[in-house]
């Protein structure tokens, strides 16, 4: 195991954490780290591993937008609710670093649903939207972990 392997492994680990705590572009960091590894290896096996890892992350990103989005649409939660949550999450991130992102997002989703549906229906709709976001994060995390496993296989092969 070389120094590049260790650094790429650390970058992949940071990327996985970035998916769970959305401060870093997690999937992009995982794919970028595997790209650096493929360049350093410079063999067809390295490029094949990079292609497989990229395909897994791309597939995960497609699924993470379609499945939760369809579930939210079926529940009647509009995309505008998530946009309000995202905007307040970003504002919250700067008001209360890191933790404010989550608090602001939940507050934004709740306020948007309260305005749209009224007090009685706002919380159940908010919970549904939060479950969809959690499912989206889980799908992205699984895809990135699979890409990381492919990279580990590549390190063993090269």
């Amino acid at each position: 195991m070389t120094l590049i392997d260790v650094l790429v492994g650390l970058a992949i680990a940071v990327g996985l954490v970035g998916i769970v705590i959305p401060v870093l572009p997690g999937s992009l960091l995982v794919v970028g780290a595997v790209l650096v590894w493929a360049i350093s290896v410079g063999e067809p096996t390295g490029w094949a591993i990079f292609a497989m890892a990229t395909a897994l992350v791309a597939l995960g990103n497609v699924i993470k937008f379609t499945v939760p989005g369809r579930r939210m649409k079926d529940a009647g939660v509009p995309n505008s609710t998530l946009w309000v949550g995202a905007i307040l999450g970003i504002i919250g991130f700067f008001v209360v670093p890191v933790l404010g992102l989550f608090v602001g997002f939940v507050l934004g989703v709740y306020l948007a649903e309260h305005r749209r549906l009224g007090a009685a229906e706002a919380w159940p709709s908010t919970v549904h939207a939060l479950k969809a976001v959690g499912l989206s994060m889980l799908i992205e995390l699984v895809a990135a972990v699979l890409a990381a496993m492919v990279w580990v296989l590549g390190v063993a092969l090269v």
Side-chain angles (χ1 to χ4, degrees):
M1 183 170 270
T2 67
L3 177 61
I4 291 290
D5 294 340
V6 172
L7 293 175
V8 166
L10 287 173
I12 289 172
V14 169
L16 294 175
V17 170
I19 292 170
V20 178
I21 303 171
V23 178
L24 300 170
S27 293
L28 187 61
L29 192 53
V30 170
V31 170
V34 177
L35 174 62
V36 167
W37 176 80
I39 291 170
S40 74
V41 169
E43 295 180 16
T45 304
W47 290 108
I49 295 296
F50 170 69
M52 285 188 280
T54 302
L56 285 167
V57 169
L59 180 64
N61 277 313
V62 168
I63 294 170
K64 92 172 188 174
F65 286 115
T66 55
V67 172
R70 188 177 321 124
R71 292 180 74 186
M72 283 184 40
K73 190 174 190 176
D74 292 345
V77 178
N79 287 337
S80 61
T81 295
L82 291 181
W83 282 108
V84 172
I87 290 167
L88 281 182
I90 291 168
I91 293 169
F93 177 78
F94 290 106
V95 174
V96 181
V98 182
L99 185 61
L101 178 68
F102 302 106
V103 173
F105 180 78
V106 173
L107 181 63
V109 169
Y110 177 77
L111 290 175
E113 289 301 279
H114 186 277
R115 181 174 175 263
R116 187 173 74 88
L117 299 172
E121 296 294 320
W123 187 246
S125 184
T126 300
V127 169
H128 194 79
L130 294 176
K131 284 181 182 178
V133 169
L135 177 61
S136 176
M137 288 173 61
L138 179 64
I139 291 167
E140 182 179 6
L141 181 62
V142 167
V145 167
L146 289 173
M149 290 170 63
V150 165
W151 171 76
V152 168
L153 175 67
V155 170
L157 291 174
V158 173

